[in-house]
C-alpha cells in the first residue's frame, strides 16, 4: 500500500530565516509533516470510520533544499506491519532530485 502528498513551496511552508544569504526553501518540519500525511493516507483504506493512526517515530534525512515555487511529491509505502504498528518507507522528490528519504512508523 502506498500514497502520495504534494506540497508547493511557498511563504507558508518555507524557512523563516530566508534572506540575501539563505534562499527561501522548504522547511524540514513541513517536509516531515507531508511525509507523515502520505503515510496516514496509505493506510486510510484499512481503517474503520472511527479509527485513526498517529505517527510514533520518524527517521528521515533531509538531503537537499527545495526552492520556493517547486512542487515536492512525498511518497510513503508500507513495508512492515506487526499488530497495530505499521512501518513506512518514505521519500520526497522535487522534480530535480530526491530531497528526503527514510522511515516512519505509526500505530
Amino acid at each position: 500500500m502506498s500514497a502520495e502528498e504534494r506540497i508547493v513551496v511557498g511563504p507558508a511552508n518555507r524557512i523563516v530565516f530566508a534572506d540575501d544569504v539563505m534562499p527561501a526553501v522548504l522547511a524540514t518540519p513541513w517536509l516531515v509533516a507531508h511525509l507523515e500525511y502520505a503515510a496516514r493516507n496509505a493506510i486510510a483504506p484499512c481503517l474503520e470510520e472511527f479509527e485513526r493512526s498517529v505517527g510514533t517515530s520518524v527517521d528521515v534525512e533531509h538531503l537537499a533544499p527545495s526552492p520556493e515555487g517547486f512542487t515536492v511529491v512525498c511518497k510513503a509505502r508500507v513495508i512492515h506491519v506487526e499488530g497495530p504498528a505499521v512501518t513506512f518507507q518514505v521519500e520526497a522528490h522535487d522534480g530535480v532530485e530526491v530531497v528526503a528519504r527514510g522511515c516512519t512508523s505509526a500505530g
Side-chain angles (χ1 to χ4, degrees):
M1 301 181 74
S2 62
E4 292 183 359
E5 264 302 302
R6 295 177 184 271
I7 181 172
V8 177
V9 182
N13 56 33
R14 66 183 187 203
I15 58 172
V16 297
F17 51 89
D19 58 19
D20 293 336
V21 178
M22 183 65 189
V25 296
L26 180 61
T28 302
W30 283 104
L31 175 60
V32 171
H34 283 268
L35 290 166
E36 289 285 289
Y37 296 153
R40 183 180 62 197
N41 290 339
I43 62 170
C46 295
L47 300 177
E48 298 291 334
E49 186 176 321
F50 60 88
E51 293 180 311
R52 301 290 183 268
S53 70
V54 63
T56 58
S57 71
V58 177
D59 183 10
V60 173
E61 290 182 279
H62 193 165
L63 302 167
S66 296
E68 190 164 3
F70 276 46
T71 298
V72 178
V73 179
C74 299
K75 298 179 181 183
R77 181 174 63 90
V78 174
I79 59 172
H80 183 76
V81 177
E82 187 171 325
V86 182
T87 303
F88 305 87
Q89 177 184 20
V90 294
E91 183 173 287
H93 198 286
D94 66 7
V96 174
E97 61 190 322
V98 174
V99 297
R101 73 168 47 106
C103 291
T104 65
S105 297

